[in-house]
Amino acid sequence: MKYQLLILGLLIATSCNKVKEDTPIEEDYESLFPDKGIEKPEIERGDMTIHLGNPEMTQENYVYPGVEFPYEAEKYNVILTCQFLEKNQDNGLISDENISSRYEIRYINEKKELITITTKRSQELEDAQIMKNGKELTVQFTVYSGHPLYLCVTGLGPRESSVKAKIKAVSTDDLITPPELQTELFQNNEGIDKLETPYCEYFILP
């Protein structure tokens, strides 16, 4: 009799547990998982990796290397400074009318155009801005995220002549400090010759 009662008790307990397990539990999913809307993916603002450009690039084969970023654009003030030196045997500056240097500095302006600054005007560069021997030239303009900060220095000149250029961008809110691109090149071969290692680099502003 005791065994019969024990078996009957186990059956009743098992039956109760089964009912509890099969009974659906009502959960308030709205409070547990509130609707936050579609989460926007994080967009990297760029690591400002510096790339090598083509120093032989001209207006004919120029392709704008900038990008469009899918977020609110940062605003930058860009400053370009450049200068060249060509001296005579007495270490004095040669007059601009008598220089033989043909140095060229290229950058990309706010209109996405490839602009050339040169030491002497030519038929190919009728609209180019002209540098004065020994005088620093400054160009300033405003661009936005995705614009390439681009600097290219090429050309030729007599022995011991030199050319230097620097371009930098400063965000208007001072929160981003991009690196500067700069170079100073010398022509040390006899006679008038090309720069042995022309400079051409760029990166995308974040």
Side-chain angles (χ1 to χ4, degrees):
M1 184 68 179
K2 291 182 179 179
Y3 292 107
Q4 292 177 347
L5 292 173
L6 179 60
I7 294 172
L8 181 60
L10 290 173
L11 290 173
I12 294 172
T14 305
S15 176
C16 291
N17 288 339
K18 186 176 182 181
V19 171
K20 289 182 180 179
E21 289 178 359
D22 293 342
T23 302
I25 300 174
E26 294 185 4
E27 296 283 359
D28 187 357
Y29 288 102
E30 291 186 1
S31 61
L32 291 174
F33 307 102
D35 184 12
K36 298 180 180 179
I38 299 175
E39 293 185 3
K40 295 181 180 180
E42 292 185 6
I43 304 296
E44 291 189 10
R45 293 183 66 89
D47 57 5
M48 292 183 280
T49 299
I50 296 177
H51 305 278
L52 294 176
N54 177 13
E56 302 300 324
M57 184 172 62
T58 62
Q59 291 288 352
E60 289 72 23
N61 56 22
Y62 164 67
V63 177
Y64 178 69
V67 297
E68 295 292 336
F69 286 150
Y71 53 72
E72 185 176 353
E74 190 76 34
K75 185 177 181 181
Y76 296 89
N77 294 321
V78 179
I79 302 174
L80 166 70
T81 57
C82 54
Q83 183 183 39
F84 83 100
L85 292 175
E86 185 176 333
K87 298 182 179 181
N88 55 30
Q89 295 180 349
D90 298 327
N91 205 36
L93 291 175
I94 295 177
S95 65
D96 294 307
E97 294 77 15
N98 296 319
I99 62 168
S100 53
S101 299
R102 297 291 189 278
Y103 293 124
E104 296 179 6
I105 296 166
R106 299 189 186 98
Y107 67 97
I108 297 174
N109 69 3
E110 71 278 12
K111 298 178 181 179
K112 304 180 181 182
E113 301 168 331
L114 182 66
I115 303 298
T116 301
I117 301 173
T118 185
T119 58
K120 200 164 188 176
R121 200 178 302 279
S122 64
Q123 288 185 343
E124 296 81 10
L125 300 171
E126 292 181 343
D127 299 326
Q129 193 168 1
I130 305 299
M131 289 187 286
K132 300 295 183 180
N133 191 11
K135 295 183 179 180
E136 186 176 83
L137 175 65
T138 301
V139 178
Q140 298 186 50
F141 53 96
T142 301
V143 298
Y144 296 87
S145 299
H147 189 89
L149 197 67
Y150 177 96
L151 181 63
C152 191
V153 181
T154 63
L156 52 83
R159 185 177 182 180
E160 297 184 355
S161 62
S162 65
V163 58
K164 63 180 180 180
K166 177 176 68 175
I167 190 169
K168 65 178 181 179
V170 180
S171 64
T172 55
D173 58 10
D174 291 327
L175 296 179
I176 303 176
T177 306
E180 295 181 357
L181 299 179
Q182 60 181 330
T183 186
E184 184 171 8
L185 304 174
F186 297 85
Q187 203 297 93
N188 294 318
N189 296 327
E190 289 292 341
I192 298 176
D193 202 354
K194 290 184 177 181
L195 294 169
E196 289 188 358
T197 54
Y199 175 91
C200 194
E201 292 184 338
Y202 73 96
F203 66 89
I204 305 300
L205 290 169

